[in-house]
């Protein structure tokens, strides 16, 4: 029986998929959530529930999924929120509907996952936990045609910083990882629709000379999950190849 479990959102693609595959391979019981179905190659690889993280009953659905699926309730060491969407458009072209969807699927997806994790944590009298919310380097630097997206990611970072203070009292650390551009299907879709003509310029804007890969984020997550990082909370860990340092 597996002795460590992780709740991870956004597992059907990109960063979330990479995290789920990594920790499943390392012997964790991965409990994955996504609004989209899993890729055929991941079907049966780890526990999965297809659900909408911004639905009104999302928290209850996540808790039910955990209670019905986890092997050992005391084994749940944390949750990693990777679900999110991009919105690449001029502010003058934005609409309330698209802006609301961007905020919901970034901020409220993280909020609901965190809320369900904390409810399960308290209900089962756990004494040590980890929340890692993925934001973006765009939470601290601006990006052309990305005003709403930057706002949504900034909300995750500010909320997580405040949440860290409250949850420290019950043994949960809350931290944020803010990646630069990571080579994922979402980024590639943006490249087709908005970044393509500027891709060379984008790459040269990174001091390391390339955009990131999902595996570039693994060691940061390992560090924040580790029991030796108990004193690290309320941190926004930027992993962006030096882009924001300029």
């Amino acid at each position: 029986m597996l002795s460590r479990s992780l709740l991870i959102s956004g597992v059907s693609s990109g960063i979330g998929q990479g995290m789920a595959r990594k920790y499943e391979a390392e012997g964790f019981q991965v409990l994955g959530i996504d609004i989209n179905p899993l890729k055929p190659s991941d079907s049966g690889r780890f526990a999965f529930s297809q659900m909408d993280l911004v639905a009104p009953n999302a928290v209850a659905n996540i808790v039910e999924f955990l209670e019905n699926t986890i092997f050992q309730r005391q084994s749940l060491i944390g949750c990693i929120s990777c679900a999110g969407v991009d919105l690449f458009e001029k502010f003058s072209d934005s609409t309330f509907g698209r802006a609301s969807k961007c905020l919901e699927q970034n901020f409220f997806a993280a909020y609901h996952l965190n809320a369900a994790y904390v409810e399960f944590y308290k209900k089962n009298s756990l004494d040590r936990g980890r929340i890692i919310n993925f934001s973006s380097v765009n939470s601290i630097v601006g990006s052309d045609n990305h005003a709403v997206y930057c706002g949504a990611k900034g909300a995750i970072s500010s909320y997580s910083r405040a949440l860290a203070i409250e949850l420290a009292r019950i043994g949960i650390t809350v931290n944020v990882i803010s990646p630069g551009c990571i080579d994922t299907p979402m980024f590639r879709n943006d490249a087709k629709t908005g970044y393509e003509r500027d891709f060379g310029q984008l790459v040269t804007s990174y001091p390391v000379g390339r955009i990131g890969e999902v595996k570039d984020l693994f060691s940061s997550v390992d560090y924040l999950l580790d029991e030796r990082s108990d004193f690290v909370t309320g941190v926004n860990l930027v992993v962006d190849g030096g882009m924001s340092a300029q």
Side-chain angles (χ1 to χ4, degrees), residues 155-205:
I156 292 173
S157 300
S158 296
Y159 147 83
S160 299
R161 189 181 307 115
L163 186 62
I165 300 169
E166 181 176 343
L167 296 188
R169 304 183 187 110
I170 61 171
I172 299 175
T173 64
V174 183
N175 293 291
V176 171
I177 295 178
S178 290
C181 288
I182 302 295
D183 188 4
T184 63
M186 185 171 75
F187 171 77
R188 288 175 179 266
N189 183 63
D190 284 342
K192 292 177 182 177
T193 59
Y195 289 141
E196 191 171 45
R197 63 182 178 180
D198 300 319
F199 186 75
Q201 182 179 351
L202 175 68
V203 170
T204 58
S205 71

Side-chain angles (χ1 to χ4, degrees), residues 28-124:
F28 284 74
Q29 182 192 14
V30 170
L31 302 124
I33 294 173
D34 204 298
I35 193 171
N36 298 308
L38 287 179
K39 302 293 187 295
S41 58
D42 287 327
S43 181
R45 190 170 184 172
F46 46 80
F48 175 70
S49 179
Q50 186 175 351
M51 71 173 76
D52 183 358
L53 283 172
V54 303
N57 58 346
V59 173
N61 289 341
I62 298 167
V63 172
E64 182 181 12
F65 169 56
L66 288 172
E67 291 177 340
N68 292 339
T69 311
I70 198 166
F71 294 147
Q72 296 173 306
R73 296 193 177 194
Q74 297 294 319
S75 72
L76 186 62
I77 67 169
C79 74
I80 306 173
S81 174
C82 305
V85 298
D86 197 2
L87 182 61
F88 183 81
E89 66 179 8
K90 293 180 179 179
F91 180 72
S92 58
D93 294 335
S94 65
T95 66
F96 178 76
R98 287 196 296 273
S100 295
K101 182 178 179 180
C102 181
L103 184 62
E104 288 175 353
Q105 296 189 346
N106 284 288
F107 175 74
F108 283 109
Y111 167 81
H112 283 152
L113 190 79
N114 294 174
Y117 172 69
V118 172
E119 181 177 326
F120 184 89
Y121 181 95
K122 290 180 176 179
K123 186 175 181 179
N124 291 280

Side-chain angles (χ1 to χ4, degrees), residues 1-33:
M1 188 171 289
L2 304 179
S3 61
R4 296 177 297 174
S5 305
L6 276 171
L7 175 63
I8 306 176
S9 67
V11 298
S12 72
S13 183
I15 293 172
Q17 181 189 59
M19 294 297 161
R21 289 175 172 178
K22 164 186 161 58
Y23 287 107
E24 184 274 334
E26 292 180 4
F28 284 74
Q29 182 192 14
V30 170
L31 302 124
I33 294 173

